[in-house]
Amino acid sequence: MQTEARAEIRWLVALSLAFLAFVYVRFGVAHSPDMAATWLAGHFFDTDRSDLVYPKDEGVFSMLIPEAWSEFLKSEGREGVYYPFIYPPLWAWAAGKAGSHIGMDGFVSLFGFLNPILLLGTCLLAMRACGVTGRLRLFWLAAGIAALLFTSIGLVAIEQNQPQILVSFLVVAAIERDRAGAWKAAGTLLALAAAIKLYPALLAALWLGERRWRSIASFGVAGALLGMSSIVVAGWPLHREFLGLIALLRESAVVTSFNFGLDSALAQIFWRDDLVFVASLDNPVGIAHPHGWKVLAKGQAWSLFSALALLSMTSILAFGAWRSGRQLPILAYPAFLAGLVFFAPLSWSYHYLPALAFAPAFLVAFGPIMGAAALTIILSPTSSLVFWLFSNPIDGLLVNPLLGTLGVVVLGLALWGVRHRV
């Protein structure tokens, strides 16, 4: 028995090392528009130019960086697309302190090394949260790695060295620690995730419904400390600017090949003629067909609908847990997180990483062979093959984000459907 257990551990280690080696060799330190944005925000904050941390309000979120950023990047001889900073001021301050010592390349390279480890850790934590033991762990890890490497959810995150990888790790770790009874760690981890991207805070509503008071208390204390620290180090005016940016995000729809969500789908289906093309700043001068993306000001009614849908889903699930007086099935969490991102503004493919980390649960629910078949079918709309087949617009319509949106909806509903089988 011990010999078999040691063999399983050796295979788990071998699979993990093979994944890390492949990612490091195949992708190296990828160009990271969002990670570079964090460094740039820190650079301007640290040089007393906090007015350049966030993009200016243009009536719609255009995804364009401040002009001063472009001038700085040109002076540094840097090319490629860069995106604006959309995280709380605390991280501009932190990036300014750390980034001033290691530079942009060092900052990006640091996360280029850490992010694959965090992705692997997210997959393993989801497995642990589901209580998977024995040989099935090998199937889970193999399926999880395949899902990361062959879907646009995982592959884009790896290719872009995405900060969302850290957020996903923190969210899944918070779920796992809460289920393990480590409520201090659970609340702190969720507070950290919410301090980077605000939406993970809604996960605390499920804890409230389950009466997980200690995890909620830990989340509240850690969140309050992080919030107060942010105001102390960055000042209230910059936070007011950040809140204005969040309001602008909520009232904007962005359409690219990797926006998987309700807003992007509705914008393409019903308001295609109203979409405004935004050319990326890295286009060569005089190019005939510039690359970029499309944006749309949603209006108050649409924004209110999205917010109400998000809050309604959260309230229904939390109230259901409260009324039943029972602990939610573990797969209710990734299904809920998929729904959160679906209704949230600016839903990128890699925002579904927490749900993807739990996707190998189908192997637990149906067995390795049937589960792998089900997983392949469910993830096929978000696969790299489908993305390649539909990479070109059809009559001006981007098919990939529509297929991707369908895929993540199916993934969320499928996780919810098998929640009692894991």
Side-chain angles (χ1 to χ4, degrees):
M1 199 65 157
Q2 287 183 342
T3 302
E4 185 177 343
R6 288 197 198 97
E8 289 171 4
I9 292 173
R10 284 197 296 269
W11 276 107
L12 286 170
V13 172
L15 270 175
S16 300
L17 292 177
F19 168 73
L20 294 176
F22 175 79
V23 172
Y24 290 139
V25 172
R26 172 64 179 82
F27 298 100
V29 179
H31 174 65
S32 178
D34 284 327
M35 203 65 76
T38 303
W39 186 92
L40 286 162
H43 167 76
F44 284 103
F45 181 89
D46 203 47
T47 54
D48 296 325
R49 294 301 309 273
S50 59
D51 58 308
L52 297 175
V53 168
Y54 295 110
K56 300 305 176 186
D57 188 343
E58 301 174 347
V60 65
F61 181 64
S62 66
M63 289 210 309
L64 293 176
I65 61 177
E67 187 175 344
W69 284 27
S70 297
E71 294 172 357
F72 174 80
L73 290 166
K74 288 177 182 177
S75 70
E76 293 278 308
R78 298 182 184 274
E79 298 178 348
V81 64
Y82 289 86
Y83 299 134
F85 180 72
I86 57 174
Y87 304 102
L90 175 64
W91 308 113
W93 171 82
K97 296 302 180 186
S100 60
H101 297 291
I102 60 177
M104 183 191 293
D105 293 333
F107 186 81
V108 171
S109 296
L110 173 62
F111 282 93
F113 173 75
L114 292 175
N115 272 341
I117 299 173
L118 293 175
L119 273 176
L120 184 66
T122 304
C123 184
L124 293 172
L125 284 166
M127 178 174 69
R128 185 181 174 92
C130 290
V132 179
T133 57
R135 187 173 299 178
L136 195 54
R137 292 182 297 177
L138 298 175
F139 294 109
W140 180 294
L141 184 58
I145 289 173
L148 288 172
L149 294 177
F150 294 103
T151 67
S152 52
I153 299 173
L155 200 56
V156 174
I158 295 170
E159 288 180 334
Q160 293 191 3
N161 192 21
Q162 265 295 324
Q164 179 64 33
I165 293 173
L166 172 60
V167 178
S168 301
F169 173 83
L170 292 171
V171 168
V172 175
I175 294 170
E176 189 278 330
R177 288 291 80 198
D178 173 68
R179 285 303 172 104
W183 52 270
K184 290 181 181 178
T188 302
L189 289 164
L190 186 61
L192 275 170
I196 302 172
K197 288 284 185 78
L198 302 181
Y199 76 89
L202 290 176
L203 197 65
L206 302 193
W207 286 352
L208 179 64
E210 294 179 291
R211 298 178 173 90
R212 307 182 83 81
W213 306 119
R214 289 182 173 181
S215 292
I216 290 174
S218 175
F219 168 76
V221 171
L225 289 174
L226 285 166
M228 288 188 293
S229 299
S230 186
I231 294 173
V232 168
V233 299
W236 177 247
L238 196 58
H239 285 79
R240 187 166 57 241
E241 193 172 342
F242 168 69
L243 293 175
L245 175 62
I246 295 303
L248 186 66
L249 283 169
R250 193 173 59 247
E251 295 168 3
S252 304
V254 177
V255 176
T256 75
S257 295
F258 300 109
N259 287 105
F260 298 170
L262 180 64
D263 285 353
S264 176
L266 291 179
Q268 275 217 100
I269 294 171
F270 296 108
W271 287 278
R272 200 190 328 175
D273 294 337
D274 297 320
L275 289 166
V276 177
F277 178 76
V278 178
S280 175
L281 295 178
D282 66 326
N283 283 302
V285 177
I287 188 173
H289 302 287
H291 65 270
W293 46 86
K294 294 182 179 181
V295 298
L296 175 70
K298 289 163 52 177
Q300 292 185 348
W302 185 352
S303 301
L304 181 61
F305 166 76
S306 298
L308 287 176
L310 191 65
L311 292 174
S312 297
M313 182 193 67
T314 305
S315 301
I316 290 170
L317 191 54
F319 179 73
W322 181 279
R323 188 173 182 180
S324 70
R326 295 193 300 269
Q327 182 175 266
L328 286 168
I330 188 63
L331 293 186
Y333 283 88
F336 170 71
L337 289 167
L340 270 189
V341 179
F342 174 73
F343 288 116
L346 205 61
S347 302
W348 296 94
S349 63
Y350 40 76
H351 288 170
Y352 294 93
L353 278 172
L356 188 71
F358 283 91
F362 296 115
L363 277 68
V364 181
F366 301 119
I369 296 176
M370 291 299 295
L375 185 61
T376 301
I377 294 170
I378 290 166
L379 294 181
S380 60
T382 63
S383 68
S384 304
L385 175 61
V386 168
F387 180 83
W388 176 75
L389 290 173
F390 294 96
S391 56
N392 295 319
I394 299 177
D395 192 25
L397 185 75
L398 285 176
V399 180
N400 274 321
L402 297 178
L403 288 175
T405 299
L406 172 64
V408 294
V409 168
V410 171
L411 173 60
L413 291 176
L415 287 167
W416 179 259
V418 299
R419 67 192 186 279
H420 293 302
R421 303 185 66 162
V422 176

